[in-house]
Amino acid sequence: VLPKNSFAKDYYFPKVSGTYNINADGSVDVVEMRTYNFDGSFSYAYIDIPLVIKRKGYSYNSRVTNFLVTENGNPLKITEQTRGDYFHARWIYAAFNDQRTFTFSYKLTNALGGGANFDEFYWQVIGDKWDKQTTNADFVVTFPKTISKNQVYAFAHGPTNGNFDFISDNSVRFTVSDIPSK
């Protein structure tokens, strides 16, 4: 009896970072960098971006436009479609036991919700559907104008080792490490 060869493959995210620039019209210019650590052979990846945001008291439907995936500044071929409440994009590459960083850029329209006296950008950067762990994450949200710090409420859900702080009069940085899957 000969043993059967097993070619297991896996990946995780050593680093995920991004910038979210909120515009005066309620749209958000997004640039995200996801570093993948591949163990084995991989040929494609995908991203699902939620379009329907539901919060206590309101919900809104966003839209993704101008979606682009690059690696080292070079655009990659993508296919994209809306699948129910998600924007789905897939890109093709070849990786074997590599670490690769892909950059996503897009505009998110109708991205704010809220009430009569406030606007809210409620966004799960690393959502509960991520199947893989993330070692380090760093995100910056920039408001369209200077807002007094006592008029901004910033919060994050996730591991208790996460932090956030104002890095300017109109930007908040969120950092966290050791984020498990899901």
Side-chain angles (χ1 to χ4, degrees), residues 19-79:
T19 58
Y20 304 83
N21 294 314
I22 301 172
N23 301 306
D25 66 0
S27 66
V28 180
D29 295 321
V30 178
V31 176
E32 291 182 5
M33 286 77 56
R34 293 186 187 183
T35 299
Y36 291 69
N37 191 69
F38 295 112
D39 181 13
S41 179
F42 289 82
S43 59
Y44 75 91
Y46 66 90
I47 183 173
D48 287 319
I49 301 171
L51 299 175
V52 176
I53 308 300
K54 295 180 182 177
R55 298 282 292 143
K56 185 177 180 180
Y58 67 89
S59 68
Y60 53 96
N61 297 326
S62 298
R63 191 170 142 234
V64 171
T65 59
N66 303 325
F67 186 84
L68 181 65
V69 179
T70 61
E71 184 179 24
N72 299 320
N74 299 312
L76 300 178
K77 183 177 180 177
I78 61 171
T79 57

Short mmCIF file of all heavy atoms in Angstrom, two decimals, residues 19-79:
data_model
loop_
_atom_site.label_atom_id
_atom_site.label_comp_id
_atom_site.label_asym_id
_atom_site.label_seq_id
_atom_site.Cartn_x
_atom_site.Cartn_y
_atom_site.Cartn_z
N THR A 19 -7.54 53.21 3.09
CA THR A 19 -7.96 54.58 3.34
C THR A 19 -9.38 54.74 2.80
O THR A 19 -9.71 54.21 1.74
CB THR A 19 -7.03 55.61 2.65
OG1 THR A 19 -7.01 55.37 1.25
CG2 THR A 19 -5.62 55.53 3.21
N TYR A 20 -10.17 55.47 3.55
CA TYR A 20 -11.58 55.71 3.22
C TYR A 20 -11.80 57.21 3.31
O TYR A 20 -11.91 57.75 4.42
CB TYR A 20 -12.49 54.95 4.19
CG TYR A 20 -12.16 53.48 4.20
CD1 TYR A 20 -11.13 52.99 4.98
CD2 TYR A 20 -12.84 52.61 3.37
CE1 TYR A 20 -10.80 51.65 4.95
CE2 TYR A 20 -12.50 51.27 3.33
CZ TYR A 20 -11.48 50.80 4.13
OH TYR A 20 -11.13 49.48 4.10
N ASN A 21 -11.81 57.87 2.17
CA ASN A 21 -11.99 59.31 2.12
C ASN A 21 -13.45 59.63 1.85
O ASN A 21 -13.93 59.41 0.73
CB ASN A 21 -11.08 59.93 1.06
CG ASN A 21 -9.62 59.79 1.42
OD1 ASN A 21 -9.23 60.04 2.54
ND2 ASN A 21 -8.82 59.36 0.46
N ILE A 22 -14.13 60.14 2.87
CA ILE A 22 -15.54 60.48 2.74
C ILE A 22 -15.66 61.82 2.05
O ILE A 22 -15.04 62.80 2.46
CB ILE A 22 -16.21 60.52 4.13
CG1 ILE A 22 -16.07 59.16 4.83
CG2 ILE A 22 -17.68 60.92 3.99
CD1 ILE A 22 -16.52 59.15 6.27
N ASN A 23 -16.44 61.86 0.99
CA ASN A 23 -16.65 63.08 0.22
C ASN A 23 -17.90 63.82 0.70
O ASN A 23 -18.79 63.22 1.32
CB ASN A 23 -16.77 62.74 -1.27
CG ASN A 23 -15.53 62.05 -1.78
OD1 ASN A 23 -14.42 62.54 -1.64
ND2 ASN A 23 -15.71 60.86 -2.34
N ALA A 24 -17.99 65.10 0.38
CA ALA A 24 -19.12 65.92 0.80
C ALA A 24 -20.45 65.39 0.26
O ALA A 24 -21.50 65.60 0.88
CB ALA A 24 -18.90 67.37 0.38
N ASP A 25 -20.44 64.69 -0.87
CA ASP A 25 -21.68 64.17 -1.45
C ASP A 25 -22.11 62.83 -0.85
O ASP A 25 -23.07 62.21 -1.29
CB ASP A 25 -21.55 64.04 -2.97
CG ASP A 25 -20.52 63.01 -3.41
OD1 ASP A 25 -19.89 62.36 -2.55
OD2 ASP A 25 -20.35 62.84 -4.63
N GLY A 26 -21.40 62.33 0.17
CA GLY A 26 -21.75 61.07 0.81
C GLY A 26 -21.11 59.85 0.18
O GLY A 26 -21.31 58.74 0.65
N SER A 27 -20.33 60.05 -0.86
CA SER A 27 -19.59 58.92 -1.45
C SER A 27 -18.27 58.76 -0.70
O SER A 27 -17.85 59.64 0.05
CB SER A 27 -19.34 59.16 -2.94
OG SER A 27 -18.46 60.26 -3.12
N VAL A 28 -17.63 57.61 -0.89
CA VAL A 28 -16.37 57.32 -0.23
C VAL A 28 -15.39 56.79 -1.28
O VAL A 28 -15.72 55.86 -2.01
CB VAL A 28 -16.54 56.29 0.90
CG1 VAL A 28 -15.21 56.00 1.58
CG2 VAL A 28 -17.56 56.77 1.92
N ASP A 29 -14.22 57.41 -1.36
CA ASP A 29 -13.14 56.91 -2.21
C ASP A 29 -12.33 55.93 -1.37
O ASP A 29 -11.80 56.29 -0.31
CB ASP A 29 -12.26 58.05 -2.71
CG ASP A 29 -13.01 58.99 -3.63
OD1 ASP A 29 -13.81 58.50 -4.45
OD2 ASP A 29 -12.80 60.21 -3.54
N VAL A 30 -12.25 54.69 -1.85
CA VAL A 30 -11.64 53.61 -1.09
C VAL A 30 -10.38 53.12 -1.78
O VAL A 30 -10.38 52.91 -3.00
CB VAL A 30 -12.63 52.42 -0.93
CG1 VAL A 30 -11.98 51.27 -0.18
CG2 VAL A 30 -13.90 52.87 -0.25
N VAL A 31 -9.32 52.92 -1.01
CA VAL A 31 -8.12 52.22 -1.47
C VAL A 31 -7.76 51.24 -0.37
O VAL A 31 -7.52 51.63 0.77
CB VAL A 31 -6.94 53.18 -1.74
CG1 VAL A 31 -5.70 52.39 -2.13
CG2 VAL A 31 -7.29 54.20 -2.81
N GLU A 32 -7.78 49.94 -0.70
CA GLU A 32 -7.43 48.90 0.26
C GLU A 32 -6.27 48.08 -0.29
O GLU A 32 -6.22 47.79 -1.48
CB GLU A 32 -8.60 47.95 0.49
CG GLU A 32 -9.76 48.55 1.22
CD GLU A 32 -10.88 47.54 1.46
OE1 GLU A 32 -10.72 46.34 1.13
OE2 GLU A 32 -11.93 47.96 1.96
N MET A 33 -5.36 47.70 0.59
CA MET A 33 -4.26 46.82 0.25
C MET A 33 -4.40 45.56 1.10
O MET A 33 -4.47 45.66 2.32
CB MET A 33 -2.90 47.48 0.51
CG MET A 33 -2.52 48.55 -0.49
SD MET A 33 -3.32 50.16 -0.28
CE MET A 33 -2.95 50.62 1.36
N ARG A 34 -4.45 44.42 0.42
CA ARG A 34 -4.52 43.14 1.13
C ARG A 34 -3.31 42.32 0.75
O ARG A 34 -3.10 41.99 -0.41
CB ARG A 34 -5.79 42.38 0.76
CG ARG A 34 -7.05 43.05 1.24
CD ARG A 34 -8.26 42.20 0.99
NE ARG A 34 -9.47 42.94 1.32
CZ ARG A 34 -10.68 42.43 1.25
NH1 ARG A 34 -10.84 41.18 0.86
NH2 ARG A 34 -11.72 43.16 1.56
N THR A 35 -2.52 41.97 1.76
CA THR A 35 -1.37 41.10 1.55
C THR A 35 -1.79 39.68 1.88
O THR A 35 -2.32 39.42 2.97
CB THR A 35 -0.18 41.53 2.42
OG1 THR A 35 0.19 42.87 2.06
CG2 THR A 35 1.01 40.61 2.21
N TYR A 36 -1.60 38.80 0.92
CA TYR A 36 -1.93 37.38 1.07
C TYR A 36 -0.62 36.61 1.27
O TYR A 36 0.35 36.84 0.55
CB TYR A 36 -2.58 36.84 -0.19
CG TYR A 36 -3.96 37.34 -0.51
CD1 TYR A 36 -4.18 38.66 -0.89
CD2 TYR A 36 -5.05 36.48 -0.48
CE1 TYR A 36 -5.45 39.12 -1.22
CE2 TYR A 36 -6.32 36.93 -0.80
CZ TYR A 36 -6.51 38.24 -1.16
OH TYR A 36 -7.77 38.67 -1.48
N ASN A 37 -0.61 35.67 2.19
CA ASN A 37 0.49 34.74 2.33
C ASN A 37 -0.02 33.38 1.85
O ASN A 37 -0.86 32.77 2.51
CB ASN A 37 0.95 34.66 3.78
CG ASN A 37 2.25 33.92 3.89
OD1 ASN A 37 3.28 34.41 3.45
ND2 ASN A 37 2.22 32.73 4.47
N PHE A 38 0.46 32.97 0.68
CA PHE A 38 -0.03 31.74 0.06
C PHE A 38 0.87 30.56 0.41
O PHE A 38 2.09 30.64 0.27
CB PHE A 38 -0.06 31.89 -1.46
CG PHE A 38 -1.02 32.93 -1.96
CD1 PHE A 38 -0.56 34.09 -2.55
CD2 PHE A 38 -2.39 32.74 -1.85
CE1 PHE A 38 -1.44 35.04 -3.03
CE2 PHE A 38 -3.28 33.69 -2.32
CZ PHE A 38 -2.81 34.84 -2.91
N ASP A 39 0.28 29.47 0.82
CA ASP A 39 0.97 28.21 1.03
C ASP A 39 0.35 27.22 0.05
O ASP A 39 -0.77 26.75 0.26
CB ASP A 39 0.78 27.74 2.47
CG ASP A 39 1.49 26.43 2.77
OD1 ASP A 39 2.33 26.00 1.95
OD2 ASP A 39 1.20 25.83 3.82
N GLY A 40 1.04 27.01 -1.06
CA GLY A 40 0.50 26.17 -2.12
C GLY A 40 0.27 26.99 -3.38
O GLY A 40 0.70 28.14 -3.49
N SER A 41 -0.44 26.40 -4.31
CA SER A 41 -0.69 27.01 -5.62
C SER A 41 -2.07 27.67 -5.65
O SER A 41 -3.07 27.03 -5.31
CB SER A 41 -0.60 25.93 -6.70
OG SER A 41 -0.86 26.49 -7.96
N PHE A 42 -2.11 28.93 -6.08
CA PHE A 42 -3.36 29.68 -6.19
C PHE A 42 -3.41 30.39 -7.54
O PHE A 42 -2.38 30.81 -8.07
CB PHE A 42 -3.47 30.72 -5.06
CG PHE A 42 -3.69 30.10 -3.72
CD1 PHE A 42 -2.63 29.60 -2.98
CD2 PHE A 42 -4.96 30.02 -3.19
CE1 PHE A 42 -2.83 29.03 -1.75
CE2 PHE A 42 -5.18 29.45 -1.95
CZ PHE A 42 -4.11 28.95 -1.22
N SER A 43 -4.62 30.53 -8.08
CA SER A 43 -4.75 31.13 -9.42
C SER A 43 -5.80 32.24 -9.50
O SER A 43 -5.87 32.93 -10.50
CB SER A 43 -5.09 30.04 -10.44
OG SER A 43 -6.30 29.40 -10.08
N TYR A 44 -6.62 32.40 -8.48
CA TYR A 44 -7.60 33.48 -8.50
C TYR A 44 -7.98 33.85 -7.07
O TYR A 44 -7.76 33.08 -6.13
CB TYR A 44 -8.85 33.11 -9.30
CG TYR A 44 -9.77 32.15 -8.59
CD1 TYR A 44 -10.81 32.63 -7.78
CD2 TYR A 44 -9.61 30.79 -8.69
CE1 TYR A 44 -11.64 31.76 -7.10
CE2 TYR A 44 -10.43 29.91 -8.02
CZ TYR A 44 -11.45 30.40 -7.23
OH TYR A 44 -12.27 29.55 -6.55
N ALA A 45 -8.56 35.01 -6.93
CA ALA A 45 -9.10 35.46 -5.64
C ALA A 45 -10.32 36.31 -5.95
O ALA A 45 -10.56 36.70 -7.10
CB ALA A 45 -8.07 36.26 -4.86
N TYR A 46 -11.09 36.59 -4.92
CA TYR A 46 -12.28 37.41 -5.12
C TYR A 46 -12.53 38.26 -3.88
O TYR A 46 -11.98 38.01 -2.80
CB TYR A 46 -13.50 36.55 -5.45
CG TYR A 46 -13.94 35.66 -4.32
CD1 TYR A 46 -14.87 36.09 -3.38
CD2 TYR A 46 -13.44 34.37 -4.21
CE1 TYR A 46 -15.27 35.28 -2.34
CE2 TYR A 46 -13.84 33.55 -3.18
CZ TYR A 46 -14.76 34.00 -2.25
OH TYR A 46 -15.14 33.19 -1.22
N ILE A 47 -13.37 39.24 -4.06
CA ILE A 47 -13.79 40.11 -2.97
C ILE A 47 -15.30 40.29 -3.09
O ILE A 47 -15.83 40.40 -4.20
CB ILE A 47 -13.05 41.47 -3.03
CG1 ILE A 47 -13.44 42.36 -1.84
CG2 ILE A 47 -13.29 42.17 -4.34
CD1 ILE A 47 -12.63 43.65 -1.75
N ASP A 48 -15.98 40.27 -1.95
CA ASP A 48 -17.41 40.56 -1.89
C ASP A 48 -17.58 41.80 -1.02
O ASP A 48 -17.21 41.78 0.16
CB ASP A 48 -18.19 39.39 -1.29
CG ASP A 48 -18.29 38.22 -2.25
OD1 ASP A 48 -18.50 38.46 -3.45
OD2 ASP A 48 -18.18 37.07 -1.79
N ILE A 49 -18.14 42.84 -1.59
CA ILE A 49 -18.34 44.11 -0.89
C ILE A 49 -19.83 44.26 -0.62
O ILE A 49 -20.63 44.25 -1.55
CB ILE A 49 -17.82 45.29 -1.73
CG1 ILE A 49 -16.32 45.10 -2.02
CG2 ILE A 49 -18.09 46.62 -1.02
CD1 ILE A 49 -15.76 46.09 -3.03
N PRO A 50 -20.22 44.40 0.67
CA PRO A 50 -21.65 44.53 0.97
C PRO A 50 -22.21 45.84 0.41
O PRO A 50 -21.58 46.89 0.50
CB PRO A 50 -21.70 44.51 2.50
CG PRO A 50 -20.34 44.86 2.95
CD PRO A 50 -19.39 44.46 1.86
N LEU A 51 -23.40 45.76 -0.16
CA LEU A 51 -24.06 46.93 -0.73
C LEU A 51 -25.23 47.40 0.12
O LEU A 51 -25.64 48.56 0.03
CB LEU A 51 -24.54 46.63 -2.15
CG LEU A 51 -23.46 46.27 -3.15
CD1 LEU A 51 -24.09 45.86 -4.48
CD2 LEU A 51 -22.49 47.41 -3.32
N VAL A 52 -25.79 46.52 0.92
CA VAL A 52 -26.93 46.87 1.77
C VAL A 52 -26.43 46.95 3.21
O VAL A 52 -25.91 45.97 3.75
CB VAL A 52 -28.06 45.85 1.64
CG1 VAL A 52 -29.20 46.18 2.60
CG2 VAL A 52 -28.56 45.79 0.21
N ILE A 53 -26.57 48.12 3.80
CA ILE A 53 -26.15 48.34 5.17
C ILE A 53 -27.41 48.53 6.01
O ILE A 53 -28.21 49.42 5.72
CB ILE A 53 -25.23 49.58 5.30
CG1 ILE A 53 -24.08 49.50 4.29
CG2 ILE A 53 -24.76 49.75 6.73
CD1 ILE A 53 -23.17 48.31 4.44
N LYS A 54 -27.57 47.71 7.03
CA LYS A 54 -28.74 47.79 7.90
C LYS A 54 -28.28 48.15 9.30
O LYS A 54 -27.42 47.49 9.86
CB LYS A 54 -29.50 46.47 7.92
CG LYS A 54 -30.10 46.12 6.58
CD LYS A 54 -30.83 44.81 6.62
CE LYS A 54 -31.37 44.51 5.23
NZ LYS A 54 -32.03 43.23 5.15
N ARG A 55 -28.87 49.20 9.81
CA ARG A 55 -28.57 49.66 11.16
C ARG A 55 -29.88 49.87 11.89
O ARG A 55 -30.94 50.00 11.26
CB ARG A 55 -27.80 50.99 11.11
CG ARG A 55 -26.46 50.89 10.43
CD ARG A 55 -25.40 50.27 11.29
NE ARG A 55 -25.09 51.18 12.38
CZ ARG A 55 -24.81 50.79 13.60
NH1 ARG A 55 -24.77 49.53 13.90
NH2 ARG A 55 -24.54 51.66 14.55
N LYS A 56 -29.81 49.95 13.18
CA LYS A 56 -31.00 50.19 13.98
C LYS A 56 -31.59 51.55 13.56
O LYS A 56 -30.94 52.57 13.68
CB LYS A 56 -30.65 50.20 15.46
CG LYS A 56 -31.84 50.32 16.36
CD LYS A 56 -31.44 50.24 17.82
CE LYS A 56 -32.66 50.35 18.70
NZ LYS A 56 -32.30 50.27 20.11
N GLY A 57 -32.79 51.52 13.04
CA GLY A 57 -33.47 52.76 12.67
C GLY A 57 -33.35 53.15 11.21
O GLY A 57 -34.08 54.02 10.76
N TYR A 58 -32.46 52.56 10.44
CA TYR A 58 -32.35 52.90 9.03
C TYR A 58 -31.54 51.85 8.28
O TYR A 58 -30.86 51.03 8.87
CB TYR A 58 -31.71 54.29 8.84
CG TYR A 58 -30.27 54.37 9.27
CD1 TYR A 58 -29.24 54.07 8.37
CD2 TYR A 58 -29.92 54.73 10.55
CE1 TYR A 58 -27.93 54.13 8.75
CE2 TYR A 58 -28.60 54.79 10.95
CZ TYR A 58 -27.61 54.49 10.05
OH TYR A 58 -26.31 54.54 10.43
N SER A 59 -31.63 51.89 6.98
CA SER A 59 -30.79 51.07 6.11
C SER A 59 -30.55 51.86 4.84
O SER A 59 -31.29 52.80 4.53
CB SER A 59 -31.44 49.72 5.82
OG SER A 59 -32.58 49.88 5.03
N TYR A 60 -29.52 51.49 4.10
CA TYR A 60 -29.25 52.16 2.84
C TYR A 60 -28.57 51.19 1.88
O TYR A 60 -27.95 50.22 2.29
CB TYR A 60 -28.45 53.44 3.03
CG TYR A 60 -27.16 53.30 3.82
CD1 TYR A 60 -25.95 53.14 3.17
CD2 TYR A 60 -27.16 53.35 5.21
CE1 TYR A 60 -24.77 53.03 3.89
CE2 TYR A 60 -26.00 53.24 5.93
CZ TYR A 60 -24.80 53.08 5.27
OH TYR A 60 -23.64 52.96 5.97
N ASN A 61 -28.74 51.48 0.61
CA ASN A 61 -28.15 50.67 -0.46
C ASN A 61 -27.03 51.46 -1.11
O ASN A 61 -27.26 52.52 -1.66
CB ASN A 61 -29.20 50.31 -1.51
CG ASN A 61 -30.32 49.46 -0.93
OD1 ASN A 61 -30.07 48.65 -0.05
ND2 ASN A 61 -31.52 49.66 -1.40
N SER A 62 -25.83 50.90 -1.05
CA SER A 62 -24.66 51.53 -1.66
C SER A 62 -24.44 50.97 -3.07
O SER A 62 -25.07 49.99 -3.47
CB SER A 62 -23.42 51.29 -0.81
OG SER A 62 -23.58 51.86 0.46
N ARG A 63 -23.51 51.57 -3.76
CA ARG A 63 -23.14 51.12 -5.10
C ARG A 63 -21.64 51.26 -5.26
O ARG A 63 -21.05 52.24 -4.79
CB ARG A 63 -23.87 51.98 -6.13
CG ARG A 63 -23.76 51.44 -7.53
CD ARG A 63 -24.71 52.19 -8.48
NE ARG A 63 -24.01 52.34 -9.72
CZ ARG A 63 -23.81 53.47 -10.35
NH1 ARG A 63 -24.28 54.58 -9.89
NH2 ARG A 63 -23.14 53.49 -11.48
N VAL A 64 -21.00 50.29 -5.90
CA VAL A 64 -19.56 50.32 -6.17
C VAL A 64 -19.36 50.72 -7.61
O VAL A 64 -19.96 50.13 -8.52
CB VAL A 64 -18.91 48.95 -5.89
CG1 VAL A 64 -17.47 48.92 -6.37
CG2 VAL A 64 -19.00 48.61 -4.41
N THR A 65 -18.51 51.72 -7.85
CA THR A 65 -18.14 52.12 -9.21
C THR A 65 -16.62 52.23 -9.30
O THR A 65 -15.92 52.32 -8.28
CB THR A 65 -18.78 53.47 -9.61
OG1 THR A 65 -18.34 54.48 -8.70
CG2 THR A 65 -20.30 53.39 -9.59
N ASN A 66 -16.13 52.23 -10.53
CA ASN A 66 -14.70 52.41 -10.82
C ASN A 66 -13.82 51.41 -10.08
O ASN A 66 -12.73 51.75 -9.61
CB ASN A 66 -14.25 53.84 -10.50
CG ASN A 66 -15.06 54.86 -11.25
OD1 ASN A 66 -15.47 54.64 -12.39
ND2 ASN A 66 -15.32 56.00 -10.62
N PHE A 67 -14.27 50.17 -9.99
CA PHE A 67 -13.51 49.14 -9.26
C PHE A 67 -12.28 48.73 -10.06
O PHE A 67 -12.37 48.45 -11.26
CB PHE A 67 -14.39 47.92 -8.98
CG PHE A 67 -13.71 46.92 -8.11
CD1 PHE A 67 -13.74 47.05 -6.74
CD2 PHE A 67 -13.03 45.85 -8.66
CE1 PHE A 67 -13.11 46.13 -5.92
CE2 PHE A 67 -12.39 44.92 -7.86
CZ PHE A 67 -12.43 45.06 -6.48
N LEU A 68 -11.13 48.67 -9.39
CA LEU A 68 -9.87 48.31 -10.03
C LEU A 68 -9.04 47.49 -9.05
O LEU A 68 -9.00 47.79 -7.86
CB LEU A 68 -9.12 49.59 -10.42
CG LEU A 68 -7.78 49.46 -11.13
CD1 LEU A 68 -7.95 48.83 -12.51
CD2 LEU A 68 -7.13 50.83 -11.25
N VAL A 69 -8.37 46.45 -9.55
CA VAL A 69 -7.41 45.67 -8.76
C VAL A 69 -6.06 45.82 -9.44
O VAL A 69 -5.95 45.63 -10.66
CB VAL A 69 -7.77 44.17 -8.69
CG1 VAL A 69 -6.72 43.40 -7.89
CG2 VAL A 69 -9.14 43.97 -8.09
N THR A 70 -5.04 46.15 -8.66
CA THR A 70 -3.68 46.26 -9.20
C THR A 70 -2.73 45.46 -8.31
O THR A 70 -3.01 45.20 -7.14
CB THR A 70 -3.19 47.72 -9.27
OG1 THR A 70 -3.16 48.28 -7.97
CG2 THR A 70 -4.07 48.56 -10.18
N GLU A 71 -1.61 45.11 -8.91
CA GLU A 71 -0.49 44.51 -8.18
C GLU A 71 0.77 45.20 -8.67
O GLU A 71 1.03 45.23 -9.87
CB GLU A 71 -0.41 43.00 -8.40
CG GLU A 71 0.68 42.37 -7.56
CD GLU A 71 0.77 40.87 -7.74
OE1 GLU A 71 0.34 40.35 -8.79
OE2 GLU A 71 1.29 40.23 -6.82
N ASN A 72 1.50 45.80 -7.75
CA ASN A 72 2.70 46.57 -8.10
C ASN A 72 2.39 47.64 -9.14
O ASN A 72 3.18 47.90 -10.04
CB ASN A 72 3.82 45.65 -8.59
CG ASN A 72 4.24 44.65 -7.55
OD1 ASN A 72 4.34 44.98 -6.37
ND2 ASN A 72 4.46 43.42 -7.97
N GLY A 73 1.22 48.24 -9.05
CA GLY A 73 0.82 49.30 -9.97
C GLY A 73 0.26 48.83 -11.29
O GLY A 73 -0.19 49.64 -12.10
N ASN A 74 0.28 47.53 -11.55
CA ASN A 74 -0.22 46.98 -12.81
C ASN A 74 -1.65 46.49 -12.64
O ASN A 74 -1.93 45.66 -11.76
CB ASN A 74 0.67 45.82 -13.28
CG ASN A 74 2.09 46.26 -13.51
OD1 ASN A 74 2.33 47.27 -14.16
ND2 ASN A 74 3.03 45.52 -12.96
N PRO A 75 -2.57 46.97 -13.49
CA PRO A 75 -3.96 46.51 -13.39
C PRO A 75 -4.08 45.03 -13.73
O PRO A 75 -3.41 44.53 -14.63
CB PRO A 75 -4.72 47.35 -14.41
CG PRO A 75 -3.74 48.28 -15.03
CD PRO A 75 -2.38 47.96 -14.53
N LEU A 76 -4.94 44.34 -12.99
CA LEU A 76 -5.21 42.94 -13.24
C LEU A 76 -6.57 42.80 -13.89
O LEU A 76 -7.47 43.62 -13.67
CB LEU A 76 -5.17 42.15 -11.94
CG LEU A 76 -3.86 42.19 -11.17
CD1 LEU A 76 -3.98 41.41 -9.87
CD2 LEU A 76 -2.73 41.62 -12.01
N LYS A 77 -6.73 41.75 -14.67
CA LYS A 77 -8.01 41.49 -15.31
C LYS A 77 -9.00 41.03 -14.25
O LYS A 77 -8.72 40.12 -13.47
CB LYS A 77 -7.87 40.44 -16.40
CG LYS A 77 -9.15 40.20 -17.13
CD LYS A 77 -8.99 39.22 -18.25
CE LYS A 77 -10.34 39.05 -18.91
NZ LYS A 77 -10.31 38.19 -20.05
N ILE A 78 -10.17 41.66 -14.25
CA ILE A 78 -11.20 41.32 -13.28
C ILE A 78 -12.52 41.02 -13.97
O ILE A 78 -12.75 41.47 -15.10
CB ILE A 78 -11.41 42.45 -12.25
CG1 ILE A 78 -11.87 43.74 -12.94
CG2 ILE A 78 -10.20 42.67 -11.40
CD1 ILE A 78 -12.32 44.83 -11.99
N THR A 79 -13.33 40.25 -13.31
CA THR A 79 -14.73 40.12 -13.68
C THR A 79 -15.51 40.61 -12.48
O THR A 79 -15.11 40.40 -11.33
CB THR A 79 -15.12 38.67 -14.01
OG1 THR A 79 -14.82 37.84 -12.88
CG2 THR A 79 -14.37 38.17 -15.23
#
